[in-house]
């Protein structure tokens, strides 16, 4: 029997109050069971909140450079255990091993970056309108935070939330996705090994019930969520009513523009990686490619030819370039989007089917899919599919391309391939997205820059970079009057006296 796993509350591994468990399986070989994890609910969350509140009292007072040292240690442990963790990730969610290593590397980068923040966490000092008075701003922690993370970057995305939240002095309840509980648990073990005191980081496994219990818990001051737009909308409404802080990072319908003056081979390579890397299961994946009409035919032929040749299979096998889709529900969802594209009149250039046969038995594999003749009304061009599906669309000019790119309800990542600096600059200025790449694909953000998007992609926050600190801290303005008398702001205005 596969191992029964537990929640982690106040430094101890404990079972769920409801005594129910869910199974964690390998999407490349569904017969393989990784373990059974707690199906948690409000009672478990309540215990975790109490533990986090208790730990908060001393954690918030620990000097930030000391908190940084624990994060640095966690980074070093992640480095030591990179291979083990990457292998666990490939087994648990299917991405090819090379990419899984990249996912862990992103968390290592985030640890090293955030550790140094312990000696910064800069506020500002400024002037006062009154004599003998000093003014500054400082950061305060928020309190107990609930972190809800997705399965597609099961180590990197938790690191974007956990490390900045910790450096700011918060205590946490972390709920990893139901599809990747083992990676989540491993991350928590590493932080524990790094010396994090009991109760500072609590782990609650489960699905929607556990998530809802976190979102609706009155003593959780902040929810940070990455996942679907549908769930995010609900969380925004609930936290809004409760006047709770909430940062959301949701979908994308990211576009790549290719101008006729571009390095064509580079743009083709970028499109294929952007569309099919991580089986298209990145919120930054390129699912719309706008190509200047003059080069459309050449580009189309090359991308379709490349897509057909992509080796799909178990991410552990050498030579495999694309792993499975995360689970059966998602596989069916991807396929139903493809059917809708065909029904709405788009032309299927390649793929468009669930892969069957001995090599794919017991796994959820989908063929890399390319559509052309797509119109702006079609679902496949408007909605996030989160699978290996992309659309190629001819445009006559940069202006038209940018107009089409901006038609989307989302605005996470974007890219333009062009050798013309003027065009690149216009794209930087005019594309409505949180990220724009020049001569690079839509995927591949680095952790020291803000990550997030506009419109339905989020609610105005940016993770990673120094902007993450603004999610996980509250500003306090401090005024120090050393005049020895009552000075009235806005009233004692004659500074000369
Ligand atoms: C995501 O898909 O949710 O920029 C995150 C990238 C990665 C992170 C993706 N560094 O594609």
């Amino acid at each position: 029997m596969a191992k029964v796993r537990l929640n982690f509350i106040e430094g101890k591994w404990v079972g769920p109050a409801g005594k129910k468990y869910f199974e964690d399986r390998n999407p490349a070989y569904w017969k393989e069971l990784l373990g059974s994890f707690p199906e948690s609910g409000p009672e478990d969350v309540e215990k975790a909140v109490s533990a986090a509140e208790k730990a908060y009292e001393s954690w918030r007072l620990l000097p930030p450079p000391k908190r940084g040292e624990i994060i640095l240690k966690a980074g070093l442990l992640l480095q030591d255990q990179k291979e083990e963790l990457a292998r666990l990730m490939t087994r648990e969610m299917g991405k090819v091993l090379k990419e899984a290593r990249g996912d862990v590397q992103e968390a290592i980068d985030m640890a090293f970056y955030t550790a140094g923040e312990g000696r910064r966490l800069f506020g500002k000092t400024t002037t006062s309108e009154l004599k003998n008075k000093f003014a500054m701003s400082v950061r305060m922690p928020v309190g107990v935070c609930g972190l809800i993370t997705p399965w597609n970057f099961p180590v990197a995305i938790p690191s974007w939330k956990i490390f900045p939240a910790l450096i700011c002095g918060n205590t946490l309840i972390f709920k990893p996705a139901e599809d990747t509980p083992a990676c989540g648990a491993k991350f928590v073990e590493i932080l524990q090994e790094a010396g994090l005191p009991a109760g500072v980081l609590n782990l609650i496994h489960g699905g929607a019930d556990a998530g809802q219990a976190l979102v609706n818990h009155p003593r959780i001051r902040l929810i940070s969520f990455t996942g679907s737009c549908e769930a995010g909308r609900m969380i925004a409404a609930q936290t809004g009513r409760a006047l709770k802080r909430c940062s959301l990072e949701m979908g994308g319908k990211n576009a790549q523009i290719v101008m006729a003056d571009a390095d064509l081979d580079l743009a083709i390579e970028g499109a294929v990686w952007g569309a099919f890397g991580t089986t298209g299961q990145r919120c930054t994946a390129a699912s719309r490619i706008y190509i200047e009409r003059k080069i459309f035919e050449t580009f189309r032929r090359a991308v379709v030819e490349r897509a057909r040749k992509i080796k799909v299979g178990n991410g552990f096998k050498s030579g495999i370039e694309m792993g499975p889709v995360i689970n059966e529900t998602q596989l069916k969802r991807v396929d139903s989007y493809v059917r809708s594209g065909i029904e709405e009149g788009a032309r299927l250039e390649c793929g468009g089917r669930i892969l069957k046969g001995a090599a794919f038995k017991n796994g959820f594999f989908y063929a890399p899919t390319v559509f052309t003749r797509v119109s702006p009304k079609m679902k496949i061009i408007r909605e996030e599919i989160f699978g290996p599906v992309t659309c190629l669309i001819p445009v006559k000019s940069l202006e038209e391309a940018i107009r089409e790119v901006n038609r989307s309800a989302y605005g996470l990542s974007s890219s333009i391939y062009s050798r013309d600096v003027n065009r690149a600059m216009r794209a930087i200025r005019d594309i409505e997205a949180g990220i724009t790449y020049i001569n690079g694909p839509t995927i591949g953000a680095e952790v020291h820059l803000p990550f997030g998007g506009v419109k339905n992609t989020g609610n105005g926050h940016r993770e990673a970079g120094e902007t993450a600190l603004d999610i996980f801290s509250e500003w306090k303005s401090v005024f120090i009057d050393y005049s020895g008398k009552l000075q009235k702001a806005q009233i004692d205005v004659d500074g000369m006296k």
Side-chain angles (χ1 to χ4, degrees):
M1 208 186 95
K3 221 172 153 205
V4 172
R5 307 286 300 268
L6 303 171
N7 289 329
F8 188 67
I9 300 175
E10 211 170 5
K12 289 185 200 77
W13 295 96
V14 291
K19 299 190 167 46
K20 284 208 202 99
Y21 293 81
F22 64 89
E23 288 178 345
D24 180 25
R25 289 177 181 272
N26 179 348
Y29 187 70
W30 202 242
K31 285 188 172 165
E32 185 184 4
L33 184 64
L34 276 76
S36 294
F37 287 81
E39 190 71 70
S40 312
E43 269 184 70
D44 308 295
V45 168
E46 178 59 42
K47 279 190 202 128
V49 171
S50 298
E53 275 180 328
K54 211 162 111 194
Y56 181 63
E57 285 319 309
S58 45
W59 181 248
R60 78 183 175 89
L61 298 177
L62 189 70
K66 292 279 166 222
R67 294 182 208 140
E69 282 171 27
I70 295 174
I71 293 169
L72 175 66
K73 181 84 195 290
L76 293 167
L77 288 168
L78 280 165
Q79 219 168 30
D80 286 350
Q81 296 174 41
K82 180 172 170 180
E83 192 57 26
E84 187 191 332
L85 195 44
R87 285 179 177 274
L88 174 66
M89 191 182 302
T90 297
R91 270 177 78 203
E92 191 175 39
M93 58 71 70
K95 68 170 76 172
V96 296
L97 192 53
K98 229 188 218 166
E99 291 188 32
R101 290 185 188 121
D103 192 314
V104 181
Q105 186 58 45
E106 198 161 341
I108 297 166
D109 298 342
M110 193 63 201
F112 293 170
Y113 175 77
T114 312
E117 208 48 63
R119 286 184 187 272
R120 287 186 292 266
L121 286 179
F122 293 132
K124 284 183 176 157
T125 63
T126 182
T127 60
S128 166
E129 65 193 45
L130 293 164
K131 277 186 180 169
N132 298 324
K133 195 175 166 190
F134 178 81
M136 64 181 168
S137 58
V138 295
R139 289 186 189 272
M140 296 187 298
V142 180
V144 176
C145 305
L147 314 176
I148 304 174
T149 59
W151 47 262
N152 67 331
F153 275 80
V155 173
I157 293 181
S159 84
W160 296 355
K161 298 185 194 298
I162 291 174
F163 294 143
L166 288 177
I167 201 78
C168 289
N170 303 287
T171 53
L172 316 175
I173 298 150
F174 164 42
K175 190 198 88 60
E178 254 180 318
D179 287 294
T180 50
C183 283
K186 184 75 197 152
F187 197 99
V188 170
E189 280 167 23
I190 282 177
L191 268 153
Q192 188 200 9
E193 201 184 329
L196 202 66
V200 174
L201 172 63
N202 304 280
L203 170 73
I204 290 285
H205 288 291
D209 282 356
Q212 278 296 295
L214 280 176
V215 171
N216 293 314
H217 196 290
R219 299 191 328 271
I220 293 182
R221 297 294 320 140
L222 177 155
I223 294 290
S224 173
F225 167 81
T226 299
S228 75
C229 205
E230 210 182 339
R233 231 181 250 285
M234 192 165 80
I235 294 172
Q238 291 166 325
T239 52
R241 270 196 297 277
L243 301 178
K244 199 176 279 200
R245 260 181 179 235
C246 171
S247 86
L248 304 172
E249 207 276 288
M250 301 172 289
K253 193 70 194 173
N254 313 289
Q256 173 179 323
I257 298 174
V258 186
M259 301 310 295
D261 66 47
D263 176 334
L264 213 56
D265 289 342
L266 195 65
I268 290 161
E269 215 182 341
V272 171
W273 172 231
F276 304 118
T278 326
T279 320
Q281 301 176 117
R282 292 199 190 206
C283 51
T284 50
S287 50
R288 303 182 290 153
I289 323 255
Y290 294 97
I291 305 128
E292 202 173 340
R293 206 174 285 279
K294 275 183 257 177
I295 53 159
F296 183 79
E297 198 37 40
T298 318
F299 193 90
R300 181 197 65 81
R301 236 181 284 130
V303 168
V304 170
E305 195 188 306
R306 294 274 198 106
R308 281 208 179 106
K309 283 193 191 141
I310 291 176
K311 289 198 181 64
V312 184
N314 191 319
F316 278 117
K317 291 208 183 112
S318 74
I320 292 296
E321 296 161 295
M322 197 180 100
V325 165
I326 188 69
N327 56 37
E328 193 174 10
T329 313
Q330 191 55 23
L331 186 74
K332 286 187 176 150
R333 205 177 115 95
V334 171
D335 195 52
S336 85
Y337 268 114
V338 168
R339 299 298 126 219
S340 86
I342 295 167
E343 271 158 38
E344 289 188 287
R347 181 157 136 185
L348 181 66
E349 296 277 348
C350 65
R353 65 203 160 84
I354 293 172
L355 293 169
K356 302 223 164 88
F360 306 113
K361 215 172 158 227
N362 296 310
F364 306 121
F365 296 95
Y366 205 83
T369 302
V370 178
F371 276 111
T372 54
R373 300 204 186 153
V374 183
S375 78
K377 286 207 187 73
M378 293 179 184
K379 260 170 52 174
I380 52 168
I381 202 82
R382 287 187 292 111
E383 297 179 19
E384 184 179 48
I385 300 173
F386 225 62
V389 182
T390 198
C391 304
L392 309 181
I393 310 115
V395 284
K396 60 177 186 310
S397 62
L398 176 63
E399 287 64 34
E400 185 189 349
I402 293 178
R403 212 168 39 243
E404 291 306 313
V405 169
N406 288 347
R407 232 189 236 261
S408 174
Y410 296 106
L412 179 55
S413 187
S414 58
S415 134
I416 179 169
Y417 281 78
S418 170
R419 286 187 173 114
D420 180 342
V421 70
N422 299 349
R423 286 178 162 154
M425 288 306 292
R426 279 210 291 278
I428 293 170
R429 186 190 61 196
D430 296 337
I431 291 178
E432 295 168 358
I435 306 170
T436 297
Y437 292 88
I438 310 301
N439 296 328
T442 58
I443 65 180
E446 300 177 28
V447 301
H448 52 302
L449 280 93
F451 184 93
V454 304
K455 302 195 223 169
N456 291 359
T457 292
N459 62 343
H461 297 279
R462 293 290 184 271
E463 301 198 276
E466 62 179 326
T467 44
L469 304 176
D470 290 328
I471 297 174
F472 294 107
S473 63
E474 293 274 11
W475 281 113
K476 175 176 280 188
S477 297
V478 180
F479 300 95
I480 305 170
D481 191 322
Y482 56 99
S483 70
K485 60 184 184 213
L486 175 65
Q487 299 198 84
K488 297 181 187 138
Q490 294 90 40
I491 293 170
D492 298 333
V493 285
D494 190 354
M496 296 306 283
K497 280 188 190 150

